[in-house]
Amino acid sequence: MIIVSAFLRWLTPYKYVDEVIERKPKKQKHKQQKLTAEEMLEHGMLGVRVVEVGEKFDAQSATERLLGSEVDIVYFYHDKQTHQVAVSFDPKSAWKYQARSNSKRKNLKPMLYPEGKTSYDRTHIIPIGFHGTESDNRLLVGWNSRQNRVDINRFERKVREYNKNHKILWFADIAKEPDGSATWKAIVMDETGTVRMKHTWHDRSKFVWQ
């Protein structure tokens, strides 16, 4: 019809001198600007919430706290001998939380780290859910580079694989040993509190413990 009408106007234009053609204005689509994960970090739009607790956890009390807690809340405890975090994550959090703000992380000094000239990695105590935690020295430690990149990384991959389809409860317990070294115990539970994975690493360096 549109083609025929246009042809008739060309053929007999005098018939359409007084015709008013109304054109509906096109609705302008406002494109919502999407921020990158890094930009969202810089604006404080993503992140876990850290809550400091006044008493040291054991595995049972940490489990009980997490079973009654919302996800993405990190419970933190620290004293001269102990450094602990406990947190729960929904399924697929390992893929939800992938960005880091290196601008915030690069000058961070952990609360505990090997002393002297011993090389170490700034290591996330919790490998997933780390949005907004790069500038929080409560959630990172200085740790043996090889253990972090090989042994701990291998364990974390297993946890991320399990987290694809399951909620997890994560408890990390780092203790200063009498000889000045440190042990790191990681326990991963399912939503019922049943232990699914656990591991212990020993960094034999002498530690600075703030």
Side-chain angles (χ1 to χ4, degrees):
M1 292 296 296
I2 294 175
I3 296 175
V4 173
S5 177
F7 175 74
L8 291 174
R9 285 190 180 87
W10 174 80
L11 188 64
T12 54
Y14 57 86
K15 290 185 179 181
Y16 303 95
V17 171
D18 297 325
E19 181 180 6
V20 177
I21 300 175
E22 294 184 359
R23 299 183 185 275
K24 294 182 179 180
K26 293 183 178 180
K27 293 183 179 180
Q28 294 183 350
K29 295 182 179 180
H30 297 283
K31 293 183 178 180
Q32 188 174 5
Q33 186 176 3
K34 292 184 178 181
L35 298 177
T36 66
E38 288 78 7
E39 289 171 331
M40 294 176 80
L41 279 177
E42 297 294 343
H43 288 79
M45 297 170 66
L46 298 171
V48 295
R49 182 161 64 93
V50 180
V51 176
E52 294 193 9
V53 298
E55 294 184 6
K56 179 180 175 180
F57 285 119
D58 57 25
Q60 182 176 348
S61 61
T63 302
E64 291 172 353
R65 175 65 65 92
L66 294 176
L67 288 174
S69 171
E70 297 179 6
V71 297
D72 299 338
I73 297 178
V74 179
Y75 297 97
F76 169 79
Y77 176 82
H78 178 85
D79 62 25
K80 294 181 179 180
Q81 302 293 328
T82 307
H83 191 92
Q84 299 176 321
V85 298
V87 62
S88 60
F89 291 114
D90 277 333
K92 294 182 174 60
S93 289
W95 286 265
K96 176 183 176 184
Y97 299 127
Q98 288 293 312
R100 296 182 184 180
S101 175
N102 288 323
S103 64
K104 292 182 178 180
R105 184 171 177 260
K106 63 182 180 180
N107 295 321
L108 182 68
K109 186 175 182 179
M111 295 179 72
L112 53 124
Y113 54 91
E115 67 180 20
K117 296 182 179 180
T118 304
S119 63
Y120 63 86
D121 286 352
R122 288 180 173 85
T123 304
H124 282 273
I125 303 174
I126 306 166
I128 63 177
F130 47 66
H131 275 315
T133 65
E134 302 86 331
S135 59
D136 194 330
N137 66 349
R138 295 171 295 182
L139 303 181
L140 288 94
V141 297
W143 201 262
N144 179 279
S145 296
R146 184 193 177 283
Q147 287 187 18
N148 177 49
R149 300 177 191 186
V150 179
D151 303 328
I152 296 175
N153 184 47
R154 185 184 300 120
F155 179 77
E156 291 172 353
R157 287 201 303 269
K158 293 178 181 178
V159 176
R160 286 194 289 268
E161 185 66 25
Y162 182 78
N163 180 238
K164 282 183 179 179
N165 301 306
H166 302 88
K167 179 180 178 179
I168 59 171
L169 315 180
W170 188 295
F171 176 48
D173 181 10
I174 303 176
K176 189 174 185 179
E177 299 297 329
D179 64 357
S181 64
T183 55
W184 176 345
K185 298 177 182 178
I187 302 175
V188 177
M189 297 157 281
D190 63 21
E191 61 184 359
T192 70
T194 302
V195 175
R196 295 296 179 180
M197 291 173 237
K198 61 181 179 179
H199 210 287
T200 300
W201 301 279
H202 186 192
D203 189 331
R204 299 183 183 279
S205 303
K206 305 297 183 183
F207 267 71
V208 174
W209 204 280
Q210 298 179 350

